[in-house]
């Protein structure tokens, strides 16, 4: 029997408590023979919670309790979460987390710290919510050279697009729905400006390519300026708008990684991914495309992934760990400016070379275009001096 402590009793932390103890609706009691929930750390009081007797407010109680074998960090961010993770690992306790910001930024050091202290640092829930992706990528695809990762990695953004298209509601109203469902981050800026997707892409890339790709090295664009008109132009050319994280291995060994909204053809399975679902296509040199699909956010899907890691940590400490990530390789990062793509452009007036798109609700003078393939600098040169309302890359 391994004793566990949860840090943070928010959406994910409370879901983990329910799944661990079998108290949630529809949750099978699977972990309770192996794991006992001993502590929950939170600055708030929860006197009416079924877990009221577990609450503590001082992390040193957990740190100094030799009975605690696994610490579950669901605080988020890189402040207290980093401090407590380091202290837990130094005390020889394994740490399981859903905290993508912490893993993407400090992953290599924390993996190293875990190895030095006979513990493991596991973070399956940090990417794709309930989708098993990190362990399959790390273990089951280990024989492959990874050629490309391309994924819908943020449930909030995908939920917003789905509500805009299916219900015809504007961006802000759709975001409120994502917040009400517990999908969005406390500050949803990270969801809608692409940083959350960027962090998840960095974790996937670091596992796939074996060296640490940092979030500040990944050009990132969000979705806040996308309108119902852009969705209508996408529909007019049999496409959907999706926020994608992509990491493409180049023939010279460099990696081109970026996050942007894209026009995605209806023939691509990514176009059919709706609501809070995420999907990640991984192209291996031996496997070809492998696709992972499931609920990318939400209390119980995320808690499911966390608890699976807790069970793995409790069962087989050494075999559960990820391979260490080599240090960052700035010389291996390819410039996004060299990537050729077609582009969707919406102009307030005038014409452009390419296929003209028409929608019934277009404003007077406005037009939508699909350009021939070119790099972004080439496109920007063509658009200089024009009144441009929107530019979105087309996924090839
Ligand atoms: N805010 C995140 C999302 C939660 O919407 O995908 C899961 O990481």
């Amino acid at each position: 029997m391994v004793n566990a402590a949860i840090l943070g009793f928010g959406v994910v932390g409370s879901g983990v408590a329910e799944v661990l103890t079998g108290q949630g609706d529809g949750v099978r009691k699977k972990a309770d023979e192996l794991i006992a929930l001993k502590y929950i750390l939170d600055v708030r009081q929860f006197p009416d919670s079924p877990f009221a007797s577990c609450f503590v407010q001082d992390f040193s109680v957990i740190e100094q309790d030799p009975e605690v074998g696994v610490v579950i960090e669901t605080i988020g961010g890189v402040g207290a979460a980093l401090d407590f993770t380091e202290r837990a690992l130094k005390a020889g306790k394994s740490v399981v987390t859903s905290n993508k910001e912490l893993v993407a930024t400090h992953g290599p050091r924390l993996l190293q710290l875990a190895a030095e202290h006979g513990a493991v640092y596991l973070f399956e829930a940090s990417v794709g919510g309930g989708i098993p992706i990190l362990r399959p990528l790390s273990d089951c695809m280990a024989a492959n050279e990874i050629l490309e990762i391309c994924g819908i990695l943020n449930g909030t953004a995908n939920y917003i697009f789905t509500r805009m298209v299916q219900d015809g509601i504007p961006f802000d109203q759709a975001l409120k729905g994502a917040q009400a469902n517990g999908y969005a981050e406390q500050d949803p800026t990270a969801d809608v400006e692409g940083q959350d997707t960027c962090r998840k892409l960095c974790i996937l890339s670091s596992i796939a390519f074996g060296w640490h790709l940092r979030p500040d090295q990944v050009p990132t664009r969000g979705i806040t300026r996308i309108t119902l008109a852009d969705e209508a132009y996408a529909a007019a050319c049999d496409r959907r708008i999706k926020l994608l994280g992509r990491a493409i291995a180049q023939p010279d060994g460099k990696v081109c990684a970026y996050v942007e909204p894209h026009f995605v053809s209806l023939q691509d399975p990514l176009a059919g991914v709706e609501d809070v679902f995420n999907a990640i296509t991984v192209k291996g040199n031996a496997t070809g495309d492998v696709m992972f699909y499931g609920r990318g956010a939400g209390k119980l899907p995320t808690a499911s992934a966390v608890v699976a890691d807790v069970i793995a940590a409790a069962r087989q400490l050494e075999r559960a760990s990820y391979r260490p990530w080599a240090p960052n390789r700035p010389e291996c990062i390819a410039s996004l400016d060299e990537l050729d793509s077609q582009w969707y452009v919406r102009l307030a007036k005038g014409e452009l070379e390419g296929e003209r798109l028409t929608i019934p609700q277009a404003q007077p003078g406005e037009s939508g275009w699909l350009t021939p393939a070119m790099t972004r600098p080439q496109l920007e040169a063509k658009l200089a001096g024009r009144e441009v309302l929107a530019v979105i890359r087309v996924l090839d």
Side-chain angles (χ1 to χ4, degrees):
M1 176 71 78
V2 173
N3 284 288
I6 298 173
L7 313 184
F9 199 62
V11 172
V12 179
S14 60
V16 171
E18 288 175 20
V19 174
L20 265 183
T21 57
Q23 297 200 22
D25 288 341
V27 173
R28 274 184 62 200
K29 267 186 147 181
K30 263 194 173 169
D32 63 340
E33 289 156 20
L34 196 62
I35 323 283
L37 176 59
K38 186 160 184 184
Y39 299 113
I40 300 173
L41 179 86
D42 202 290
V43 288
R44 299 163 295 174
Q45 309 270 4
F46 295 87
D48 300 327
S49 161
F51 311 107
S53 63
C54 296
F55 280 90
V56 293
Q57 294 192 318
D58 179 0
F59 178 69
S60 55
V61 173
I62 296 166
E63 184 181 23
Q64 288 164 17
D65 185 339
E67 287 188 352
V68 173
V70 182
V71 170
I72 302 158
E73 186 273 298
T74 63
I75 300 172
V78 292
L82 175 59
D83 178 35
F84 295 160
T85 299
E86 286 178 333
R87 285 165 59 185
L89 292 172
K90 283 179 185 164
K93 302 176 193 310
S94 289
V95 177
V96 169
T97 190
S98 57
N99 185 340
K100 47 262 166 161
E101 184 176 2
L102 188 59
V103 177
T105 316
H106 297 286
R109 199 158 58 81
L110 296 172
L111 283 167
Q112 178 69 27
L113 205 54
E116 284 168 10
H117 291 85
V120 289
Y121 184 50
L122 299 177
F123 36 85
E124 181 65 63
S126 65
V127 179
I131 307 172
I133 169 68
L134 300 189
R135 201 173 297 284
L137 178 62
S138 172
D139 295 350
C140 311
M141 296 189 71
N144 286 261
E145 196 180 316
I146 303 301
L147 304 176
E148 180 170 346
I149 297 166
C150 179
I152 294 171
L153 297 169
N154 184 269
T156 299
N158 208 54
Y159 177 91
I160 290 172
F161 286 139
T162 304
R163 297 278 67 83
M164 286 172 77
V165 170
Q166 292 186 1
D167 305 340
I169 60 174
F171 183 94
D172 290 346
Q173 203 178 327
L175 172 59
K176 286 200 178 95
Q179 289 173 299
N181 280 308
Y183 302 153
E185 301 300 300
Q186 271 176 356
D187 174 1
T189 312
D191 294 300
V192 296
E193 294 293 1
Q195 291 98 340
D196 183 78
T197 297
C198 171
R199 291 165 186 152
K200 292 166 177 169
L201 182 69
C202 287
I203 296 170
L204 289 168
S205 299
S206 300
I207 289 179
F209 302 117
W211 51 272
H212 182 210
L213 177 66
R214 293 198 320 259
D216 61 284
Q217 296 171 310
V218 178
T220 297
R221 288 173 192 263
I223 63 167
T224 49
R225 298 181 63 187
I226 288 170
T227 65
L228 289 169
D230 297 318
E231 294 283 9
Y233 279 114
C237 58
D238 295 328
R239 289 178 169 86
R240 290 287 303 274
I241 304 176
K242 296 290 176 190
L243 179 64
L244 301 180
R246 287 181 87 191
I248 310 157
Q250 310 287 317
D252 62 3
K254 292 185 179 178
V255 174
C256 177
Y258 69 98
V259 174
E260 279 179 23
H262 288 71
F263 268 34
V264 179
S265 163
L266 293 182
Q267 286 166 8
D268 188 315
L270 290 173
V273 176
E274 304 285 20
D275 281 299
V276 72
F277 284 81
N278 284 188
I280 305 134
T281 305
V282 180
K283 188 191 284 285
N285 67 335
T287 57
D289 284 347
V290 179
M291 196 162 182
F292 300 86
Y293 173 81
R295 285 177 194 280
K299 180 172 171 169
L300 291 182
T302 309
S304 153
V306 171
V307 174
D309 272 351
V310 175
I311 294 171
R315 273 193 187 140
Q316 308 174 316
L317 283 181
E318 278 164 28
R319 290 180 60 194
S321 66
Y322 297 112
R323 278 174 298 151
W325 301 348
N328 182 245
R329 292 185 184 156
E331 72 283 4
C332 286
I333 294 172
S335 168
L336 178 56
D337 282 350
E338 287 163 25
L339 187 67
D340 263 340
S341 302
Q342 278 191 283
W343 300 88
Y344 153 75
V345 178
R346 181 156 59 96
L347 292 176
K349 58 176 187 280
E351 303 210 335
L352 203 61
E353 182 195 350
E355 178 191 345
R356 185 179 190 129
L357 306 174
T358 51
I359 58 169
Q361 64 271 47
Q363 296 297 311
E366 178 188 294
S367 58
W369 299 88
L370 277 187
T371 73
M374 64 186 92
T375 65
R376 186 176 273 273
Q378 288 167 337
L379 177 73
E380 282 170 0
K382 283 186 190 300
L383 296 178
R386 315 289 296 269
E387 200 178 331
V388 180
L389 301 173
V391 172
I392 299 177
R393 193 185 294 272
V394 178
L395 185 67
D396 39 53

